[in-house]
Amino acid sequence: MADNQLREQERREARRKRRIRNQILVYMTLIILILVAALGVVSGVKWLAGMQRDAKEEQEDSQAKIEEIFSDEPDIQIPEPTPTPVPELTPEERLDDIVNAGIEAMPLEDKVAGLFLVTPESITGVQTVVQAGEGTQNALAQYPVGGLIYFQKNIQSEEQIRQMLENTRMYAAPYPLFLAVDEEGGSVARVASAGIGTPVDSASAIGATGDTGKAYEAGTTIGSTLSSLGFNLDLAPVADLASVENSFMAQRVYGKDAATAAPFVTAMIQGLMEQNVTPCLKHFPGNGATSQDVHTGQAVSDRTLEQFQAEEFSVFQAGIDAGAPMVMVSLMAAPALTGSNEPCALSSEVVTGLLRGQLGFNGVVITDALNMSAVSEYYAADEAAILALKAGCDMLLMPEDFEKAYNGVLQAVRDGVISEERVNDSLRRIYRIKYADRIAE
């Protein structure tokens, strides 16, 4: 029994040794195979590298042969492509780009507000405005009007008016403002009447001298004073004629006939423009053609179309040709021109047919003050504003009730009674004046 156990133990030991020997053989075989494979990879890499080197050498040899073949050929110059020239924009085209970009960014509410030239009192609610502070800032944020007009009551001293206009301009940003005043000379002189600057004679007194240089001097004197204070728009000169007996414009015009008056008007325009003040010709087709006063009620002229064309129109034409960028249209009725007693500023026959069509005026057309009795006694503020725009006017001066007029025009645009493009057209004319200094000639 013991012998059998001993023999079984020996057999197990023999089997264990054979198993270990077989495992060692397997491991050695794997190691040999791995070494052989590695040697093969190395040899393959060396072979591929040699092939690439040989190919590169062959390529370089071929290139050298090609260069040798063509070494005697002249160099071939490949011309650089000529860039397509971009035409340089003219100053007018640059101005159009600036204007259109500004208008495109404006909301409709701001566009409509930009058509109004009003007193600071009408947007602030203050009885008499003599400074520009938080109230002005808030008012301009709500109603970014196209311009503000000031009267003698707003002017206390040079420093006061200068500071007020400077602050107002700052609060109006980003929209530039017309800062306007009636400064004709004589009795219509808001600034000079407040004791500021050098007083200038009336147009009638200057015309009586026969010296057009006096009108030029008046323009430069007024212009330099206004510009130094911060004003940029003067509702002057008057281009009317005292063409009827007892004309209510007699003291404010240069004469009774066109040949006398026209050179004085153009000289005054030149003087103002040289001082960077925008002039506004007034009051087309000619308030002087009536003895009645539009401030107090309806004023009607019985002048014929032929009479207007021969006299008054030629004065306005001279002013337009001299570069006046703005014309004010009268509230007088002229049945020979309109076929009715409607105020000229509300008549498309006068504004679009005659001023734009016959006289070829492409600048800004502004109404006379819509709070005058010639309009306010017959039309509501919103009605008059809408009619003026439909007639072809660009700016609305001093409606009797600004908020009513503004909201009426805004609703008319929303309802399609006035198109937004029509508003844009007016703004383009307005902003061509306001942005004219942003381009270099």
Side-chain angles (χ1 to χ4, degrees), residues 200 203 206-207 209 211-222 254 261 263-272:
V200 169
I206 292 175
T209 68
D211 182 1
T212 57
K214 299 291 185 183
Y216 172 76
E217 291 175 9
T220 56
T221 298
I222 291 173
Y254 291 104
F264 286 90
V265 170
T266 58
M268 174 76 164
I269 289 171
Q270 182 183 357
L272 287 170

Side-chain angles (χ1 to χ4, degrees), residues 15-149:
R15 286 195 298 272
R16 186 181 68 81
K17 290 180 179 180
R18 284 196 301 274
R19 189 165 57 252
I20 291 172
R21 185 173 58 250
N22 291 337
Q23 289 175 346
I24 290 172
L25 290 172
V26 170
Y27 291 150
M28 289 180 68
T29 302
L30 287 174
I31 290 171
I32 292 170
L33 289 174
I34 290 171
L35 290 173
V36 171
L39 290 172
V41 169
V42 171
S43 298
V45 169
K46 289 182 177 180
W47 179 79
L48 287 174
M51 291 289 289
Q52 290 178 344
R53 187 168 54 254
D54 293 343
K56 183 177 181 180
E57 290 175 354
E58 290 180 5
Q59 184 178 6
E60 290 175 351
D61 291 342
S62 298
Q63 184 66 32
K65 291 178 180 179
I66 292 172
E67 291 176 356
E68 183 179 354
I69 293 171
F70 290 99
S71 60
D72 295 332
E73 293 292 327
D75 292 339
I76 300 175
Q77 300 293 329
I78 301 176
E80 299 225 352
T82 303
T84 303
V86 178
E88 184 178 351
L89 294 178
T90 66
E92 289 291 311
E93 290 170 333
R94 291 201 303 273
L95 179 57
D96 286 339
D97 286 348
I98 293 170
V99 168
N100 289 330
I103 293 172
E104 186 178 349
M106 296 172 70
L108 178 60
E109 292 80 4
D110 292 1
K111 290 181 179 181
V112 170
L115 304 178
F116 287 86
L117 180 63
V118 298
T119 64
E121 289 81 8
S122 67
I123 60 172
T124 62
V126 176
Q127 186 173 1
T128 301
V129 173
V130 293
Q131 61 182 349
E134 185 177 353
T136 300
Q137 184 176 14
N138 292 337
L140 288 172
Q142 182 178 5
Y143 298 116
V145 292
L148 295 172
I149 182 169

Side-chain angles (χ1 to χ4, degrees), residues 122-328:
S122 67
I123 60 172
T124 62
V126 176
Q127 186 173 1
T128 301
V129 173
V130 293
Q131 61 182 349
E134 185 177 353
T136 300
Q137 184 176 14
N138 292 337
L140 288 172
Q142 182 178 5
Y143 298 116
V145 292
L148 295 172
I149 182 169
Y150 298 85
F151 291 84
Q152 186 177 343
K153 68 178 183 178
N154 303 117
I155 305 170
Q156 297 177 328
S157 69
E158 287 189 37
E159 182 57 33
Q160 170 264 332
I161 186 63
R162 186 179 291 112
Q163 188 64 56
M164 181 167 68
L165 296 181
E166 183 179 339
N167 290 349
T168 301
R169 186 182 297 105
M170 177 180 64
Y171 294 146
Y175 303 127
L177 274 177
F178 282 134
L179 297 173
V181 68
D182 283 302
E183 198 74 16
E184 301 171 9
S187 62
V188 182
R190 319 305 185 188
V191 175
S193 296
I196 300 174
T198 303
V200 169
D201 286 339
S202 67
S204 62
I206 292 175
T209 68
D211 182 1
T212 57
K214 299 291 185 183
Y216 172 76
E217 291 175 9
T220 56
T221 298
I222 291 173
S224 62
T225 298
L226 296 186
S227 181
S228 70
L229 296 174
F231 290 104
N232 54 25
L233 173 61
D234 186 11
L235 301 183
V238 172
D240 300 345
L241 297 174
S243 55
V244 298
E245 188 176 354
N246 298 321
S247 169
F248 91 96
M249 295 293 294
Q251 298 303 310
R252 298 169 60 188
V253 302
Y254 291 104
K256 296 181 178 181
D257 63 272
T260 299
F264 286 90
V265 170
T266 58
M268 174 76 164
I269 289 171
Q270 182 183 357
L272 287 170
M273 293 183 69
E274 286 180 1
Q275 300 301 316
N276 298 316
V277 173
T278 297
C280 175
L281 286 175
K282 59 185 188 185
H283 313 77
F284 185 82
N287 268 351
T290 178
S291 61
Q292 300 158 313
D293 189 344
V294 293
H295 294 81
T296 59
Q298 188 181 62
V300 182
S301 173
D302 60 4
R303 297 268 282 175
T304 67
L305 173 60
E306 290 73 24
Q307 287 174 315
F308 275 115
Q309 288 175 328
E311 294 290 325
E312 283 87 351
F313 284 14
S314 62
V315 182
F316 282 95
Q317 188 71 69
I320 291 168
D321 293 344
M326 186 178 290
V327 172
M328 179 183 291

